[in-house]
Amino acid sequence: MPNFNYQVEVDQVRNYLNADLVLLAMTSSETNFELRWHYASGNKNNKYKRFVLKSGKGIAGQVFKVGKPMIIENIVESEINQRLYEYPIVLFEDIKSFLAIPLWKNSRVKAVLLVASREKNDITNQTFKELMGYLGKCFGSFDTQEMMV
Amino acid sequence: MIQMTNEQMMSFLMKMYKNSSEAIFFLDDQNQILALNPSAENIIDPSVLESIKGGGISSVCSFCRGYSSEEQEITCTECYLQEPSKDFSSFQVYLETKNRGIVPYAATYHSVDENDKVFVFMLRDLTTQYKTQESLYKNQLTKKTIQAQENERKRISRELHDSVVQELVSMLVDMRVLKYMDNKDSIVEQVKQSEESLNRLLEDVRDLSVFLRPASLDDLGLEAAFRTHFKWLENNYGVQVNMQSTLNQNRYSPDIETAVYRICQEAVLNATKYSGTDQIHVLLSENSEGLELIVRDHGKGFNVNSPEVIGTGLGLGGMEERAEIVGGNLKVYSVPNEGTTIYFKVPVVSRVEEEVHENNHS
């Protein structure tokens, strides 16, 4: 899909879900793998730009690696509360609940979309359903589902 | 309770005096020993005891080596014998003993008769208690060390399993798929994907190896190793480390480089995890007294005297141990809500001097 403006789309997702923060992480190039947050809406600061996300580490890394959505409705009561420093984005953006979904290209995860709230129990399974309903089959050049070839 | 007669009481007290495991001395206001019980006789060196009994010397000072005050472990300033007004109901005193050298005792010193100015000085041997405490502490430390070691192994094993093995398996699957492909475009696409996987794998292995022991520390020295490490911290934890270094020389002896690197790494990681700020300042400098490292943050801080243990509880102790091994001095200053400063100083011998030294010897 040409001329897909991710910034506008990220803003719209945030408006639609009435969320505090939406972030989009993408891999930078095909061969030299580097996953970073590229687009943000509702961010408190620009620290998200600093992180180089590692496959398997942090929210984006875990979703990227496993290829499954991750939903934590209340971080304080979750098991990650003990090692929040491994989730710097949670600390710096003061996230209390979030969901993150993988975005696909050629049956590989190429991006991660994070929807977060600064209130606990604000993001739930219901939010996930709404998001998937809103996005439909694709988001820009990414598929929202893993396509079986 | 049965009413006791004075005679009975006297006989009890006499027996207690004779048989007590506590050493009991009666002293006058000139600190001269008036009487001592058999336990007391037992701990004093026979030659000293003889001269006490013979009336040659009869001062406690002949076998006392000082007591523990708030300022010093063994001291004679404000001696308990000289300052009876101060509270000496329980304190620690060091005595020169028969066959055992200088031994700590728990002591009490107070007057028993104001008018006649008679004082009692009672001692209880602390050696057994000390040994129990020491071995308890050692056991706990060993337990924690073993636990930390196991955790570290677990982490490495998990890292290998989760990243390296998985990526390799995925590569293997890619290769199998490749065998059955005949369309050139899809082959190219597949190879691209594999290339990406390989790059990721390469990075994971590199990270793991640097984390275990940074090669740059051995090859390029402290500053280079720090720069790599701080970049890694910024990428992974989003903290910015401002390093200022005014080191005159590039290389120091390996022990010192390792100690400084690990202490700084621990201090910065602590600040990253617990201070709540994303700005950490590191200052490396050298003067005539040695190498100086200062790690400072303006974050949450903590109470140095009774820190609330959040992590393994090994961090600060580990830093102190590393500092001690290289003969350095580590200080931790922290004020709640104002921040923490770690101050480490170590005397250094430069590599050049060391080599000259070695050559002279050979």
Side-chain angles (χ1 to χ4, degrees):
Chain A
M1 199 183 290
N3 300 326
F4 188 88
N5 188 328
Y6 284 103
Q7 185 58 55
V8 171
E9 290 301 316
V10 162
D11 286 335
Q12 279 175 1
V13 168
R14 186 166 76 94
N15 277 339
Y16 181 80
L17 294 173
N18 205 6
D20 289 331
L21 171 74
V22 174
L23 281 170
L24 178 65
M26 296 183 191
T27 55
S28 56
S29 83
E30 289 287 317
T31 45
N32 248 339
F33 169 82
E34 194 177 70
L35 185 67
R36 275 177 183 271
W37 298 114
H38 281 269
Y39 299 95
S41 175
N43 50 312
K44 280 184 154 181
N45 49 57
N46 285 330
K47 285 173 190 166
Y48 71 91
K49 287 183 180 162
R50 264 191 226 153
F51 308 119
V52 177
L53 305 159
K54 291 264 156 61
S55 172
K57 303 264 167 65
I59 298 173
Q62 282 178 29
V63 172
F64 180 85
K65 175 158 208 165
V66 182
K68 293 230 168 9
M70 181 177 181
I71 303 176
I72 294 189
E73 298 186 3
N74 184 358
I75 288 178
V76 178
E77 280 172 16
S78 71
E79 55 99 29
I80 74 164
N81 195 43
Q82 293 304 310
R83 39 194 182 87
L84 277 188
Y85 60 89
E86 288 176 23
Y87 300 84
I89 198 76
V90 171
L91 288 176
F92 291 146
E93 288 291 341
D94 196 21
I95 293 172
K96 294 283 183 281
S97 69
F98 70 86
L99 70 82
I101 58 162
L103 295 170
W104 306 77
K105 209 186 261 183
N106 298 328
S107 303
R108 303 250 176 179
V109 183
K110 291 289 175 192
V112 175
L113 186 68
L114 171 78
V115 178
S117 167
R118 299 192 174 99
E119 300 285 330
K120 62 179 182 185
N121 301 323
D122 202 27
I123 305 288
T124 61
N125 271 319
Q126 186 55 38
T127 325
F128 173 66
K129 281 180 198 151
E130 282 172 35
L131 174 68
M132 296 315 275
Y134 173 76
L135 292 180
K137 282 209 152 126
C138 55
F139 185 71
S141 59
F142 302 110
D143 305 322
T144 54
Q145 303 283 330
E146 183 176 9
M147 295 290 168
M148 292 297 165
V149 191
Chain B
M1 205 173 73
I2 316 158
Q3 204 62 44
M4 266 200 299
T5 62
N6 269 351
E7 287 75 40
Q8 280 174 314
M9 195 64 184
M10 281 301 292
S11 116
F12 279 163
L13 283 173
M14 279 311 290
K15 277 180 192 156
M16 187 189 106
Y17 179 73
K18 284 233 156 65
N19 300 325
S20 167
S21 65
E22 273 181 49
I24 302 172
F25 296 86
F26 287 105
L27 311 172
D28 66 11
D29 60 342
Q30 302 300 309
N31 310 325
Q32 303 298 304
I33 296 166
L34 301 170
L36 68 170
N37 74 346
S39 290
E41 287 178 19
N42 251 331
I43 60 172
I44 302 173
D45 193 84
S47 63
V48 178
L49 184 64
E50 218 166 89
S51 62
I52 290 174
K53 284 196 163 170
I57 40 164
S58 53
S59 159
V60 174
C61 295
S62 56
F63 53 88
C64 175
R65 291 293 169 265
Y67 80 106
S68 297
S69 71
E70 279 168 19
E71 286 84 29
Q72 271 175 298
E73 198 185 351
I74 303 181
T75 179
C76 279
T77 36
E78 297 194 334
C79 174
Y80 53 98
L81 298 169
Q82 310 295 334
E83 309 253 342
S85 53
K86 243 179 107 179
D87 181 21
F88 281 109
S89 57
S90 172
F91 60 105
Q92 183 167 309
V93 69
Y94 287 85
L95 301 183
E96 182 85 51
T97 57
K98 184 165 77 182
N99 306 329
R100 291 196 299 153
I102 297 171
V103 175
Y105 283 88
T108 61
Y109 179 75
H110 55 88
S111 78
V112 282
D113 190 334
E114 283 287 343
N115 297 332
D116 279 349
K117 300 233 158 52
V118 176
F119 296 85
V120 66
F121 180 44
M122 288 196 285
L123 301 164
R124 176 163 287 285
D125 193 344
L126 277 179
T127 337
T128 339
Q129 196 190 334
Y130 262 45
K131 273 193 184 138
T132 323
Q133 254 173 19
E134 203 171 298
S135 64
L136 178 74
Y137 177 72
K138 256 190 201 156
N139 281 341
Q140 279 174 339
L141 201 68
T142 316
K143 221 194 242 166
K144 278 199 166 177
T145 315
I146 290 174
Q147 215 172 35
Q149 203 176 34
E150 283 307 314
N151 282 342
E152 182 66 4
R153 287 185 184 180
K154 204 163 66 190
R155 200 187 63 79
I156 297 168
S157 141
R158 191 181 294 153
E159 197 95 340
L160 283 173
H161 179 269
D162 287 3
S163 59
V164 180
V165 175
Q166 274 201 15
E167 296 282 0
L168 279 173
V169 168
S170 122
M171 287 290 305
L172 204 62
V173 174
D174 285 356
M175 292 291 138
R176 279 190 194 142
V177 170
L178 216 51
K179 272 199 292 198
Y180 301 103
M181 282 184 160
D182 39 19
N183 179 334
K184 189 171 179 255
D185 287 349
S186 50
I187 292 178
V188 169
E189 185 56 35
Q190 189 66 32
V191 170
K192 261 191 200 164
Q193 306 276 13
S194 307
E195 215 178 323
E196 190 183 314
S197 291
L198 264 182
N199 263 322
R200 209 153 51 215
L201 178 61
L202 198 66
E203 198 146 301
D204 281 349
V205 174
R206 203 177 278 149
D207 268 2
L208 194 61
S209 101
V210 168
F211 197 83
L212 287 175
R213 170 85 194 178
S216 51
L217 181 59
D218 298 322
D219 302 340
L220 302 167
L222 276 173
E223 278 180 46
F226 276 138
R227 271 183 222 292
T228 322
H229 181 62
F230 295 154
K231 187 74 210 158
W232 178 84
L233 270 177
E234 187 177 335
N235 288 342
N236 280 273
Y237 297 109
V239 290
Q240 269 180 333
V241 183
N242 308 313
M243 180 172 75
Q244 277 185 319
S245 163
T246 53
L247 297 182
N248 320 340
Q249 54 188 67
N250 282 324
R251 305 309 307 266
Y252 299 88
S253 81
D255 316 358
I256 287 175
E257 285 186 344
T258 307
V260 172
Y261 182 81
R262 290 300 185 198
I263 286 172
C264 182
Q265 188 182 31
E266 182 68 33
V268 171
L269 202 63
N270 279 345
T272 306
K273 287 182 181 176
Y274 309 122
S275 78
T277 62
D278 64 336
Q279 298 286 329
I280 301 164
H281 306 276
V282 172
L283 197 77
L284 268 173
S285 60
E286 193 187 345
N287 55 30
S288 56
E289 285 169 52
L291 209 157
E292 234 177 49
L293 166 78
I294 298 172
V295 180
R296 176 174 292 155
D297 69 70
H298 300 288
K300 275 181 200 157
F302 62 93
N303 187 341
V304 182
N305 294 323
S306 57
E308 182 194 349
V309 176
I310 321 177
T312 58
L314 280 173
L316 280 181
M319 280 157 73
E320 265 159 20
E321 212 153 89
R322 279 188 192 277
E324 232 167 71
I325 291 170
V326 292
N329 189 352
L330 184 89
K331 283 192 183 116
V332 180
Y333 303 98
S334 188
V335 179
N337 299 321
E338 280 183 25
T340 307
T341 304
I342 306 281
Y343 184 86
F344 174 58
K345 196 178 217 174
V346 59
V348 287
V349 190
S350 74
R351 274 201 175 170
V352 185
E353 280 174 45
E354 212 170 56
E355 271 157 25
V356 171
H357 200 67
E358 270 167 22
N359 289 342
N360 287 347
H361 277 268
S362 56

